[in-house]
Amino acid sequence: GNSVTQMEGPVTLSEEAFLTINCTYTATGYPSLFWYVQYPGEGLQLLLKATKADDKGSNKGFEATYRKETTSFHLEKGSVQVSDSAVYFCASGGGSYIPTFGRGTSLIVHP
Amino acid sequence: KAGVTQTPRYLIKTRGQQVTLSCSPISGHRSVSWYQQTPGQGLQFLFEYFSETQRNKGNFPGRFSGRQFSNSRSEMNVSTLELGDSALYLCASSLDRDRGTYNEQFFGPGTRLTVL
């Protein structure tokens, strides 16, 4: 079946540091790929998405590129802020694909 | 526009009991999906409803069921509760889900179920 694997956390960074959270997927065919963010006590919010190979999703300074050759969708941000502290989920799905989520990666940003 | 609401926010039940959780989607959204979130298994898809019909189902036992009403509100039911059913249950709604495209899902805050 389909699966999504993302790096375990927590990831601890200082403010303005560069962020990378790795995500790889397995799927039959070419699902859409997403990053969601979950703040404490809240549900998930869509952060960005990419629907086909080589697409780059971007939002709020975060970026991720759909890499078919490496089956990856790594999340990056050039300069993190304390307010970015949250749990980040990589996911695949869309269309006829049942949504599949990674385990989540906790990000802690210190001032 | 009001977001996705879930009731109740917290529930405590004992083994063997049953529970019903409720989800009200964003106005105009016709697709409602349910997920179970646990520290051990992460976020797992339960089922999706669209226009009162179950359109997709995850790999959960028959004790987990759901339904959707004509106003798109949805309920999920868990019968004969087990300790392992303790989790955060999340509901998400979207406008529609055409095959081959993706419509953003909007998540509610979840219902925290504890089974003793």
Side-chain angles (χ1 to χ4, degrees), chain B residues 18-70:
Chain B
Q18 75 165 23
V19 67
T20 299
L21 312 181
S22 181
C23 171
S24 292
I26 290 173
S27 177
H29 285 193
R30 297 195 293 165
S31 170
V32 175
S33 297
W34 288 89
Y35 297 85
Q36 182 194 65
Q37 185 177 21
T38 60
Q41 299 298 317
L43 201 66
Q44 294 187 292
F45 173 77
L46 279 155
F47 27 65
E48 181 205 6
Y49 286 87
F50 178 79
S51 292
E52 303 178 62
T53 301
Q54 188 180 87
R55 217 160 45 166
N56 230 328
K57 189 178 190 304
N59 190 24
F60 278 81
R63 299 186 297 109
F64 292 81
S65 63
R67 59 178 176 168
Q68 186 180 33
F69 302 94
S70 58

Side-chain angles (χ1 to χ4, degrees), chain A residues 11-28:
Chain A
V11 173
T12 305
L13 295 172
S14 297
E15 205 164 25
E16 299 184 3
F18 183 84
L19 167 71
T20 299
I21 300 178
N22 291 336
C23 171
T24 56
Y25 69 93
T26 61
T28 52

Side-chain angles (χ1 to χ4, degrees), chain A residues 66-87:
Chain A
Y66 191 141
R67 301 285 188 201
K68 186 177 69 174
E69 62 276 12
T70 55
T71 62
S72 64
F73 192 56
H74 304 321
L75 182 68
E76 297 181 335
K77 186 175 185 182
S79 176
V80 294
Q81 306 300 311
V82 172
S83 58
D84 293 327
S85 298
V87 180

